[in-house]
Amino acid sequence: MHSITININNDKLLDKVTWLLEHFKNDGLEIVSKEDMDDLKLLKATRNEDSIPFGAYMNNED
């Protein structure tokens, strides 16, 4: 698989580029924002960490 990063600073251009890329989804193109990819990497890094029940988390919220 190949990855390409495109940095776009203009919202109108972002809409145009996204519209164009959407047409290639049926050919197997996957569109993932860098922010989403960064979040996924952070989540993956926590996969082996200990976890606590949600109720315990809420009890210790403060």
Side-chain angles (χ1 to χ4, degrees):
M1 178 189 335
H2 300 282
S3 297
I4 297 173
T5 302
I6 301 172
N7 297 313
I8 302 172
N9 295 324
N10 178 304
D11 288 339
K12 287 185 180 181
L13 180 58
L14 174 63
D15 291 340
K16 290 178 182 180
V17 171
T18 303
W19 175 85
L20 177 68
L21 293 175
E22 291 284 340
H23 289 82
F24 295 102
K25 278 189 166 183
N26 289 338
D27 295 324
L29 179 70
E30 178 183 20
I31 302 169
V32 180
S33 74
K34 181 169 180 357
E35 292 80 11
D36 289 346
M37 187 61 70
D38 291 343
D39 289 346
L40 290 172
K41 287 178 184 176
L42 290 172
L43 284 172
K44 183 180 178 189
T46 64
R47 182 166 257 170
N48 294 325
E49 292 182 2
D50 291 336
S51 61
I52 61 171
F54 186 71
Y57 170 78
M58 293 303 292
N59 289 338
N60 296 309
E61 181 177 22
D62 299 321

